[in-house]
């Protein structure tokens, strides 16, 4: 349980940085999916990075 909370916080911070904006409630399903997928890979850091990059909010981010 504590591990999931920690990883969720890390994913939120990574996604905040990747999007260049704060996380909203609309982003939370993507955060939960990244954590869930990473759990199956023993929370490897590479699975977190790939999860963020493949997430819908990141994929739909407008380029500046």
């Amino acid at each position: 349980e504590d591990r999931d909370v920690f990883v969720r916080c890390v994913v939120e911070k990574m996604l905040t940085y990747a999007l260049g904006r704060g996380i909203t409630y609309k982003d939370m399903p993507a955060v939960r999916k990244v954590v869930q997928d990473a759990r199956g890979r023993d929370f490897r850091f590479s699975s977190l990075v790939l999860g963020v990059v493949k997430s819908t909010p990141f994929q739909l981010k407008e380029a500046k």
Side-chain angles (χ1 to χ4, degrees):
E1 179 73 30
D2 291 337
R3 197 172 196 188
D4 284 0
V5 173
F6 175 76
V7 172
R8 181 176 45 89
C9 184
V10 170
V11 170
E12 287 177 8
K13 298 296 183 187
M14 290 172 64
L15 194 57
T16 297
Y17 182 79
L19 296 175
R21 63 170 174 78
I23 298 296
T24 66
Y25 71 95
K26 293 179 182 180
D27 300 317
M28 291 312 293
V31 171
R32 286 190 295 269
K33 178 156 178 28
V34 172
V35 173
Q36 180 183 10
D37 292 347
R39 187 181 302 117
R41 294 191 172 103
D42 200 29
F43 296 111
R44 294 181 59 96
F45 186 73
S46 59
S47 67
L48 301 180
V49 173
L50 285 174
V52 168
V53 171
K54 292 179 179 180
S55 71
T56 301
F58 185 79
Q59 291 290 319
L60 297 178
K61 180 180 181 251
E62 294 181 15
K64 292 186 177 186

